[in-house]
Amino acid sequence: MTVRSTGRKLSFEILNQTSSFENDSLPPIPKSPITRNGSTESLKRRRHRKKKKNKVETIPENGDPQFVEDSNWASCDDGGERFENRLNYFSSSGVVTTQTVIQQNGFRFGELRQRNVNGSMDSSNDERFSESIGSSEKKLYAEEEEEEERFSENPPFQEVENQFPTNGNVVKRLDTEASLDWKQLMADDPDFLSVETRSPMKYFMGEIYGGVSLRSTTTTGNDVERERIYDMIFRLPWRCEVLLHTGFFVCVNSFLSLLTVMPIRVLLLFWGALKKRQFRRPSSSELSDLACFLVLASGTILLGRTDISLIYHMIRGQSTIKLYVVYNILEIFDRLCQSFCGDVFGALFSSAAGLAIAPPEKLRFCTWRFVSDLALTMVASILHSFILLAQAITLSTCIVAHNNALLALLVSNNFAEIKSNVFKRFSKENIHGLVYADAIERFHISAFLVSVLAQNILEAEGPWLGNFIYNATMVFFCEMMIDIIKHSFLAKFNGIRPIAYSEFLQALCEQTLNIRPEDRKTNLTFVPIAPACVVIRVLTPVYAAHLPCHPLPWRVMWMVFLFVITCVMLTSLKVLIGMGLRKHATWYINRCRRRNSSHLHND
C-alpha cells in the first residue's frame, strides 16, 4: 500500500496476523508492496499470483484517510469483530511513521513499524515484527526483502520522472547505473572516442597501423574458401567441358543413327515383307523406326518447298526488330518445341509398344491411338523444323552482314543467358538438366553453321572460306566461354562441388550403354528429326548444283554415286563416333567403380 503525499512517494507495509489470529480462522491481513527503485511492479505481480482480495486504503491529497472494507474482512463468526486503523504521518526530517492497530474483542495483535524514505527500518520494530509472524510468513517476508535489496543495489535502467517543485523544494532525479557512467567508461577505455573528437592525424595513423586496410568491408578467408576459388577457376571448367563435349558427341551419334541406321532398318522391314509375301505385325522397335521415317520424310518434303531466299530477305529487311532480338525469340521457341517434341515422341513410342502386343479385341483402339500420336508428332516436328530453319537463316544473315551484327548477336544472346541463369537458385538436378540443354544447344549451333556453309558454297563470291572459319570459331569460342562462366558461378552460388559434374558424366555414360537406373530423374532427351530436316534441306541444293548438265542417265548415275558416297561417309562417321563413345563410357564407369566416390574423376 502506498501513501502518496504532495511532492513525495512513500511506502509502508501492513503486518500479517499472529498465530492466535490464524487459529480464530480469520482471513490474513494483506501486505502492501515495498516501493523502492522500481521493485513495486515485481511485488505487485507476486501479489496478483496469490489471488488475494485485500482491503484497500486510500489517502487523498488533503491527508484524511479513507477506508474501503473488503468482503473477507466485513465480519467474523460472532459479528463482534471490529478493525480500527490509525495512521500517523510524520514528514519531518524525511521520516515516515506508520501505525496500524488491529483489535478483536479487546485483543491487540498489530504492531508499529517505522520506516525512512530511503528504505531503512527501526530495529525494535523488526524484532517485534519477527516475533509476531509465523515461519511460513517469515520465509515469504525474507524473499520479499531479498528482492527489495536486489532492486535497490541494481535498479533497472530507466529514468525517473521529473518531480515538480513543492514549497520551493525540488526533488532531483535518481542517479544512473554505475556501468553507464560516462566518466567511468572513459576511465576504463580511453580509446572509446568518436571520430569527431579525435584529430585527423591520429585517425589516419590509426587506420595505417590498425590492420588490413579493407577490414571493414572484407573478411578473412580460410582453406575452404581458397579451395572454392580454385574449383571455380580450374577444376570445374575442365570437368564441365568434358561433360559438354561428351553430350555433344552423344547428340551427333543420335543424329547419325537417324540418317544411317533408321533407313536401313526400314528397308529391311519392307524387304522382309516382300520376301515372305505375307503381312505380319511389326515389333515395337520397327513401328517406332517406321514412324520416325514418316516424320522425317514429311518434314523434309515440306521444308523443300520453302523458299529460303524469301525468308532471308524478310529477316534481313527488318527495321523494327533487330537481328539479335529475332534470334533470341527463335531460341526460346526452340527450347519449348524441343521439350514438347521429347514428350510427344515418348508417347509415340509407348503407343507403338502397345500396338505391337495388343490383343485382337483392342487392336482397333491401339491402332487409332498410334495414328493420332503419329499425326501430333508430325505436326510438332515440322513446326520445330521451321523454327530451326529460321534460326539458321538469322545466324547466316548476321555472319554475312558487315555492320558487326554477329558481334551484337553473340553479346546480347550470351550475356542474356548468363543473366537469366546465374543469379537464380538451382538444385543439383536442375543443373544436371541445364548441362544437357547446353550440349544440345551446341549441336544446334553446329547444324546452323552447316547451313551457313551451304549458303556460302551456293551464293558467296570471292575468297569466303577464311571469313567463314573465323566467324565459326568466334561463335564456338564465345559459346564455350559463356558456358564455363555460367556453370562456374552457378556452382559457386549454389554450393555445387566439381565432383557433381563427374557424377553427371557417369550418368551420361550409363545412358550411352543403355544402363538406366529406375531412380534416375534426369536423362539426355534429344530428338534429332528437326535438325536432320534442316540439314537435308540446306544440303540438297548443294548436291543439285554439282550434278553434271548431261543427259538424264548421267545425272541419275551421279546422283546414285553422290548418295552412296554420302552414306558411306556418314556410316563410317557413325561407327567411329559410336564405338568411341561406348569405349569411353565403359572405361569411365569401370574407373568410377574402382575408385571411391571421394576420388571420383580426380584429375
Side-chain angles (χ1 to χ4, degrees), residues 516-533:
R516 301 184 179 183
E518 296 180 356
D519 57 346
R520 182 178 299 161
K521 300 180 181 180
T522 306
N523 291 315
L524 178 60
T525 303
F526 173 65
V527 181
I529 290 182
C533 293

Side-chain angles (χ1 to χ4, degrees), residues 142-158:
E143 291 179 357
E144 293 179 354
E145 288 293 331
E146 190 174 326
E147 182 85 9
E148 178 187 359
E149 292 177 0
R150 184 173 64 84
F151 272 92
S152 63
E153 293 176 359
N154 297 318
F157 178 65
Q158 60 182 358

Side-chain angles (χ1 to χ4, degrees), residues 355-483:
L355 179 60
I357 60 175
E361 60 272 10
K362 293 185 178 180
L363 183 61
R364 184 175 181 180
F365 171 74
C366 292
T367 303
W368 174 251
R369 188 175 66 173
F370 175 75
V371 172
S372 61
D373 291 343
L374 178 61
L376 181 61
T377 305
M378 194 175 295
V379 172
S381 299
I382 292 173
L383 179 61
H384 192 196
S385 302
F386 275 101
I387 291 174
L388 291 180
L389 180 62
Q391 197 171 358
I393 294 173
T394 305
L395 182 61
S396 176
T397 305
C398 294
I399 292 176
V400 173
H402 299 285
N403 54 356
N404 295 326
L406 179 61
L407 182 61
L409 171 65
L410 295 176
V411 170
S412 63
N413 184 37
N414 292 328
F415 282 95
E417 183 178 358
I418 290 178
K419 180 181 177 181
S420 60
N421 292 316
V422 168
F423 302 104
K424 293 181 180 179
R425 297 293 298 176
F426 282 89
S427 63
K428 189 176 179 180
E429 289 76 14
N430 292 337
I431 294 179
H432 193 179
L434 187 62
V435 175
Y436 288 163
D438 292 336
I440 296 173
E441 184 181 4
R442 289 194 180 187
F443 177 80
H444 284 175
I445 291 176
S446 302
F448 299 157
L449 292 177
V450 170
S451 302
V452 175
L453 177 62
Q455 290 297 114
N456 287 332
I457 291 174
L458 291 176
E459 301 177 358
E461 297 178 358
W464 57 268
L465 185 60
N467 189 23
F468 170 76
I469 293 175
Y470 170 76
N471 292 327
T473 304
M474 186 170 62
V475 170
F476 263 106
F477 179 76
C478 290
E479 184 66 25
M480 182 179 67
M481 292 302 299
I482 292 302
D483 288 338

